[in-house]
């Protein structure tokens, strides 16, 4: 269930209430007349089944309530109410399959914004991965994958392509390119420093490295895994199952590939640097293609579900 807290201008409150009452899957409607001060107006709250949330939020935005008042949405972790159970039963489809496009756009907007924190996490992840590739330590590689925040901009690109939002696409692409560029440059400098203090060496990089040599040897499986991870990551975002993102993060070789490319470039090992760059590009491409395809399929399936429900209601 979702909880909506709305601020409505007094002259639009009746329209807002009618929309909520018409929407199948809503309950616990409360109207507090004149309770809002900034902006001034009425406070309207209600609970809505997740599968009906996108329709209701879309209707509220068509009424421009996001401009004249406010729309706030929260997830309800626990709701002990027979009315809530009835609302969920009446709403079409399954809550796990519902996509809240407004929530997805907002989440990807935040995660795909170029910021100091985003660049710091990506740079730190790349330096951790650099230690992992030199030491041939798989644990460090997995840790670096978990720290890396690059899935946010990738999800932003997928969402922008499906929603045809050029601003989100540019913001996400900018965060991805600038973030990796900074991480690569800093990691090259980090490699020089670690070499100067005797912790890194070209000999270690050129060793067989059975645990990490896959990073600069891309193959068909690299793309296949990236595609599967892209589908899983997109589903975890749209179904609000954020825990699955950790598994996605440690299944794709993006940060380790960037780290290996940086270390190899610092030592003049251009064959490894090129192989790592291919690995990075393959993974990025696979995630974007799979994520975009997943969103398109979800959008089509949900549209079909709503169309079937509308036909059933007419008869």
């Amino acid at each position: 269930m979702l909880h909506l807290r709305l601020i409505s201008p007094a002259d639009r409150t009746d329209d807002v209430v009618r929309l909520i009452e018409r929407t199948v899957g809503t309950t616990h409607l409360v109207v507090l007349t004149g309770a809002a001060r900034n902006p001034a107006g009425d406070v309207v709250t209600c609970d809505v089944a997740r599968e009906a949330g996108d329709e209701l939020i879309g209707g509220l935005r068509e009424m421009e309530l996001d401009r004249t008042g406010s729309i706030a949405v929260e997830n309800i972790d626990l709701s002990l109410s027979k009315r809530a159970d009835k609302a969920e039963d009446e709403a079409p489809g399954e809550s796990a399959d519902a996509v809240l496009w407004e929530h997805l756009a907002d989440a990807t907007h935040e995660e795909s914004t170029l910021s100091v924190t985003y660049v710091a996490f990506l740079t730190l992840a790349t330096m951790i991965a650099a230690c992992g590739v030199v030491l041939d330590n798989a644990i460090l590689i997995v840790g670096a994958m978990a720290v890396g925040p690059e899935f946010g901009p990738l999800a932003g690109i997928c969402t922008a392509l499906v929603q045809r939002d050029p601003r989100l696409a540019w913001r996400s692409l900018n965060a991805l390119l600038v973030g990796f560029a900074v991480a690569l440059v800093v990691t090259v400098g980090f490699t020089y420093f670690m070499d100067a203090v005797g912790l890194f060496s070209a000999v270690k990089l050129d060793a067989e490295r059975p645990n990490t040599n896959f990073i600069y040897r891309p193959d068909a499986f690299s793309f296949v895994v990236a595609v599967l991870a892209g589908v899983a990551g997109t589903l975890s975002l749209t179904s609000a199952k954020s825990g699955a993102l950790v598994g996605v993060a440690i299944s794709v070789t993006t940060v380790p590939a960037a780290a290996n490319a940086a270390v190899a470039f610092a030592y003049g090992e251009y064959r490894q640097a090129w192989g790592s760059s291919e690995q990075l590009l393959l993974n990025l491409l696979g995630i974007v293609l799979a994520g975009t395809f997943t969103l398109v399929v979800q959008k089509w399936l949900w549209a079909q579900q709503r169309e079937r429900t509308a036909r059933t209601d007419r008869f």
Side-chain angles (χ1 to χ4, degrees), residues 189-277:
F190 176 69
T191 301
Y192 288 142
F193 170 77
M194 295 293 279
D195 182 78
V197 298
L199 295 177
F200 280 11
S201 69
V203 175
K204 292 180 179 179
L205 183 69
D206 289 335
E208 183 59 27
R209 291 165 48 199
N211 294 320
T212 58
N213 60 23
F214 69 92
I215 294 172
Y216 59 90
R217 295 175 179 174
D219 54 21
F221 280 105
S222 301
F223 186 75
V224 170
V225 172
V227 167
L228 296 176
V231 173
T234 304
L235 288 175
S236 70
L237 284 177
T238 57
S239 62
K241 297 185 181 298
S242 57
L245 280 178
V246 177
V248 173
I250 62 177
S251 63
V252 290
T253 317
T254 49
V255 166
N260 200 92
V263 175
F265 182 83
Y267 283 117
E269 295 286 344
Y270 300 120
R271 181 183 60 83
Q272 277 199 40
W274 175 248
S276 302
S277 300

Side-chain angles (χ1 to χ4, degrees), residues 2 4 23-24 48-58 98 100:
L2 302 172
L4 270 64
T23 303
V24 177
V48 59
R50 180 181 172 84
E51 52 269 40
D54 191 60
E55 177 185 355
L56 178 55
I57 295 171
L100 294 176

Side-chain angles (χ1 to χ4, degrees), residues 113-128:
T113 300
L114 183 64
S115 64
V116 173
T117 301
Y118 165 80
V119 174
F121 270 117
L122 187 57
T123 302
L124 289 169
T126 307
M127 290 193 290
I128 293 172

Side-chain angles (χ1 to χ4, degrees), residues 36-290:
R37 293 293 180 267
N38 183 22
D42 303 329
V43 175
V44 181
T45 68
C46 70
D47 296 340
V48 59
R50 180 181 172 84
E51 52 269 40
D54 191 60
E55 177 185 355
L56 178 55
I57 295 171
L60 293 170
R61 293 202 65 183
E62 286 179 4
M63 296 171 62
E64 297 188 339
L65 196 64
D66 54 327
R67 296 177 180 271
T68 59
S70 171
I71 303 173
V73 184
E74 300 172 330
N75 281 305
I76 299 177
D77 295 326
L78 177 63
S79 179
L80 303 177
S81 167
K82 289 185 177 180
R83 288 183 177 273
D85 294 339
K86 184 174 182 292
E88 287 190 313
D89 291 339
E90 291 176 347
E94 296 294 331
S95 61
D97 297 332
V99 180
L100 294 176
W101 291 101
E102 297 296 337
H103 177 271
L104 180 62
D106 184 70
T108 51
H109 178 279
E110 181 179 351
E111 294 295 327
S112 63
T113 300
L114 183 64
S115 64
V116 173
T117 301
Y118 165 80
V119 174
F121 270 117
L122 187 57
T123 302
L124 289 169
T126 307
M127 290 193 290
I128 293 172
C131 296
V133 298
V134 172
L135 297 175
D136 192 33
N137 189 316
I139 295 176
L140 291 177
I141 295 297
V142 171
M145 289 175 170
V147 172
E150 72 280 5
F151 191 80
L154 291 171
I157 292 174
C158 298
T159 304
L161 291 174
V162 175
Q163 294 292 84
R164 300 178 183 179
D165 187 343
R167 293 181 61 185
L168 178 58
W170 168 246
R171 183 185 298 110
S172 303
L173 185 61
N174 184 52
L176 198 66
L177 295 178
V178 174
F180 269 112
V182 172
L184 286 167
V185 171
V186 173
T187 304
V188 169
F190 176 69
T191 301
Y192 288 142
F193 170 77
M194 295 293 279
D195 182 78
V197 298
L199 295 177
F200 280 11
S201 69
V203 175
K204 292 180 179 179
L205 183 69
D206 289 335
E208 183 59 27
R209 291 165 48 199
N211 294 320
T212 58
N213 60 23
F214 69 92
I215 294 172
Y216 59 90
R217 295 175 179 174
D219 54 21
F221 280 105
S222 301
F223 186 75
V224 170
V225 172
V227 167
L228 296 176
V231 173
T234 304
L235 288 175
S236 70
L237 284 177
T238 57
S239 62
K241 297 185 181 298
S242 57
L245 280 178
V246 177
V248 173
I250 62 177
S251 63
V252 290
T253 317
T254 49
V255 166
N260 200 92
V263 175
F265 182 83
Y267 283 117
E269 295 286 344
Y270 300 120
R271 181 183 60 83
Q272 277 199 40
W274 175 248
S276 302
S277 300
E278 283 186 313
Q279 181 79 267
L280 175 62
L281 293 174
L282 270 177
N283 277 267
L284 295 178
L285 179 63
I287 292 173
V288 169
L289 290 177

